Every structure is written in C-alpha cells, then in structure tokens.
C-alpha cells in the first residue's frame, strides 16, 4: 500500500510539474469569426507561451509557399556559410541576363547592368525585399531548389517541397503548387531556427537572419497591418498574384511578433485559393495577427 501511495504521489508530482498552456479556445473562436464567409482557404498556425500554446486552422493543408521560401533559401545559404563553403562578404556576380524584366526585383531596378554583390546583400535583397533575381542567384549558389528542401528536412521539418526557383515558378501558374508547405510546418521552421539553443546556425548567422527578417519591408498590411505602432515583427511574405479567373492562389505572411514584454509569438497565415480582392486577403492576415496580439496582451481570466 505504501509503495502504491508513493507511486501515485510521484505521478501527481510529475503531472503537476508539466508546463501548462493557456486555454486558446477564445482565440480560435475569434479567428473562425474572422474567416467566416470569406471565399478563401485560410491556414493558420500559432505557437506561443514558450511553446506551450499551439493553435491551428487548416494546419496540415499543403499550401503554396510563394516567396516565403526565400527565408528557407537564406537559412540554407547561411548553413553553408557556417560550414566554410561561402562567406557573407564573398561577392557573387549578378549578370545582366539574370535581370529578367518580368520578375519583381529592386536589385535590378537599382542596378540595371548587374554587378558584384556580397552574399549578405543578396540575402537581404531576397528576404527583406523579396527580390526574385537575388533569390535565384542564391539558389544557383546552392545548386538547386531541392538542396533547400533537403536542408530544411534535415532540420526536422518534413512537410515542405521546394522544386522550382522563381523564374520557373512564375513561368507557369501550376508550378507554384510544387513549392508548398503546411501552416504547422511553417511555424515549426520558425520555432526551430529561432531557438538559440538549437545551434542550427552560428551566432553571427543567427543574428543576421533575424535582423534581416525584422527589416522586411513587404506586406505592410499583413501581419503588421493592425498591430500597435512600434511592434517588432520579424517576418517573410509571399504572394502569387491573381489569374484571369480572378483566383489568388497565395497571400502569405509568416513570422514572429513580439509582445510588449519581449515574448515572441510565432504565427503563420496563408490565404489560398481566394476569390476575394487583395485588400481583403491582406486584412484577413492583419485581423488574425491583431486578434492574436490582443489575446496575449490581455490577462487570462481565472
């Protein structure tokens, strides 16, 4: 009997010491209210409260990455920097024939004849400004889009496929669906590479990529759109454009939003197969981010 009591006490202590998360049902209800009636598939994944809180909507659905994959490319390049294959200061030639006119490229607009650019600058262009020319030059350095997919999978994120660079992805509408992830996998990627104890990257590379994400200047009406002025958001956007049938395949934003106390909330929002206009798609993301921010800045009810 004494042994049974001791065992029961031990079980109680173990259970009692397990980290407990916050009841996220009210946040889920609010997100469902936000997306109700919209002609779109909305995928959401949230990880908060030091990983104790998780919430998802269509979290396992495979959705187009679009330019979100430039974060994954940046991570894969930095891993090679850490291995000594490249250096951040190493210069790479961007040829004039790389500067395709139909690709979004601040780099091309600022440097119409191409030139030599450091790997650090190419990552900043690709991630912070979503530059397609810089993206494809970085993929060329790595060898193939598949090399990026392989690296991410080696770090424990299985639900992802990266088969095309930007040039090929934009050549045919259907190609974008070969570059996909799930909302849960997107958030897991952020969680994996944000964890400083994970040792996925050197401190220099870690600091560089997270500063670059904080400097992202695309998607101002998405995750950041309704947050209080000055809220720090480290994020990466992706967009598909709209086809002749009026369908927008991807309006995405994934990242970390930082609460006033400095605590990060991981959030990935994908708006897919949308018949809504761009403003509505972006507002969906902004409203979900605002609901999440409000939830975690409001004290939990006892």
């Amino acid at each position: 009997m004494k042994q049974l009591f001791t065992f029961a006490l031990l079980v109680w202590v173990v259970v009692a010491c397990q980290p407990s998360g916050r009841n996220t049902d009210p946040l889920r209800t609010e997100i469902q209210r936000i997306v109700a009636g919209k002609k779109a598939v909305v995928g959401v994944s949230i990880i908060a409260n030091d990983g104790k809180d998780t919430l998802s909507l269509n979290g396992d659905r495979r959705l187009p990455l679009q330019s979100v994959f430039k974060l994954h490319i940046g991570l894969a390049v930095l891993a090679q920097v850490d291995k000594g294959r490249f250096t951040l200061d190493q210069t790479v030639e961007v040829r004039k024939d790389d500067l395709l006119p139909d690709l979004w490229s601040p780099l091309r607009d600022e440097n119409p004849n191409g030139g030599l650019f450091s790997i650090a600058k190419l990552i900043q262009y690709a991630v912070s400004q979503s530059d397609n020319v810089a993206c494809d030059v970085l993929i060329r350095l790595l060898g193939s889009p598949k090399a990026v997919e392989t690296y991410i999978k080696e770090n424990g994120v299985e639900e992802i496929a990266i088969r095309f660079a930007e040039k090929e992805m934009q050549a045919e509408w259907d190609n974008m669906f070969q570059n996909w992830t799930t909302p849960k996998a997107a958030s897991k990627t952020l969680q994996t590479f944000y964890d400083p104890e994970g040792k996925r990257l050197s401190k220099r590379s870690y600091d560089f990529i997270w500063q670059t994400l904080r400097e992202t200047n695309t998607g101002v009406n998405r995750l950041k759109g309704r947050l209080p002025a000055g809220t720090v958001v480290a994020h990466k956007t992706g967009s598909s454009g709209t086809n002749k049938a009026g369908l927008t395949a991807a309006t995405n934003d994934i990242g970390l939003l930082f609460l006033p106390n400095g605590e990060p909330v991981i959030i990935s929002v994908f708006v897919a197969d949308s018949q809504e206009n761009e403003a509505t798609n972006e507002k969906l993301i902004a409203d979900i981010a605002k609901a999440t921010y409000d939830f975690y800045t409001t004290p939990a009810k006892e």
Side-chain angles (χ1 to χ4, degrees):
M1 179 64 72
K2 183 177 180 181
Q3 289 178 329
L4 182 60
F5 173 78
T6 302
F7 176 75
L9 180 62
L10 179 62
V11 170
W12 180 86
V13 169
V14 170
V15 172
C17 291
Q18 292 298 311
S20 59
R22 185 169 174 177
N23 178 12
T24 57
D25 288 346
L27 177 57
R28 175 183 295 279
T29 298
E30 177 61 12
I31 291 173
Q32 289 172 333
R33 185 196 66 77
I34 290 168
V35 305
K38 297 299 188 293
K39 297 177 181 178
V41 174
V42 182
V44 181
S45 172
I46 297 167
I47 303 174
N49 197 12
D50 199 26
K52 294 188 286 290
D53 295 359
T54 59
L55 182 158
S56 70
L57 179 70
N58 293 314
D60 294 314
R61 186 152 178 168
R62 294 180 176 183
L63 301 172
L65 276 160
Q66 277 293 335
S67 287
V68 166
F69 85 144
K70 291 166 185 168
L71 165 59
H72 304 73
I73 293 164
L75 293 169
V77 172
L78 288 170
Q80 294 303 312
V81 168
D82 290 346
K83 290 180 178 179
R85 180 180 172 189
F86 309 127
T87 68
L88 281 175
D89 298 329
Q90 178 180 334
T91 57
V92 179
E93 182 181 10
V94 177
R95 305 183 298 257
K96 197 163 185 178
D97 59 3
D98 292 323
L99 306 177
L100 300 178
D102 295 331
L103 295 180
W104 164 258
S105 179
L107 182 154
R108 180 200 60 230
D109 296 344
E110 296 165 8
N111 305 273
N113 295 312
L116 294 173
F117 300 86
S118 69
I119 287 177
K121 189 64 176 177
L122 290 172
I123 293 173
Q124 289 169 333
Y125 267 120
V127 176
S128 293
Q129 301 187 55
S130 210
D131 193 289
N132 293 325
V133 169
C135 166
D136 285 3
V137 171
L138 291 171
I139 287 176
R140 188 167 68 212
L141 276 180
L142 291 169
S144 69
K146 182 70 174 177
V148 182
E149 176 188 323
T150 298
Y151 172 71
I152 298 300
K153 287 185 173 179
E154 286 173 349
N155 282 276
V157 180
E158 290 294 331
E159 288 298 303
I160 190 168
I162 300 176
R163 305 299 165 79
F164 292 111
E166 280 286 356
K167 178 182 176 182
E168 291 75 25
M169 186 166 60
Q170 296 194 28
E172 296 288 342
W173 178 264
D174 289 343
N175 285 353
M176 81 173 83
F177 300 101
Q178 300 299 310
N179 285 4
W180 58 264
T181 193
T182 67
K184 284 183 179 179
S187 288
K188 184 177 180 181
T189 301
L190 293 166
Q191 183 183 39
T192 297
F193 285 93
Y194 184 70
D195 177 11
E197 301 302 321
K199 308 296 184 184
R200 308 288 176 171
L201 298 172
S202 69
K203 185 179 187 306
R204 184 186 183 195
S205 292
Y206 177 93
D207 291 345
F208 175 79
I209 193 62
W210 286 103
Q211 182 59 36
T212 301
L213 287 163
R214 288 182 176 91
E215 294 169 355
T216 291
N217 60 19
T218 58
V220 295
N221 295 319
R222 299 185 191 181
L223 287 180
K224 297 177 75 171
R226 296 193 59 216
L227 299 181
T231 301
V232 176
V233 181
H235 65 123
K236 183 69 198 82
T237 59
S239 307
S240 67
T242 304
N243 68 10
K244 294 178 181 178
L247 187 74
T248 303
T251 306
N252 308 331
D253 205 356
I254 76 168
L256 274 63
L257 60 89
F258 291 85
L259 304 177
N261 63 4
E263 182 181 345
V265 175
I266 296 169
I267 180 168
S268 301
V269 187
F270 294 74
V271 181
D273 295 336
S274 178
Q275 298 177 49
E276 308 288 349
N277 60 30
E278 179 181 7
T280 299
N281 293 334
E282 292 194 319
K283 188 173 185 299
L284 279 166
I285 297 173
D287 287 349
I288 291 168
K290 180 63 162 56
T292 303
Y293 181 93
D294 289 349
F295 179 77
Y296 281 103
T297 53
T298 302
K301 294 181 179 180
E302 297 296 335

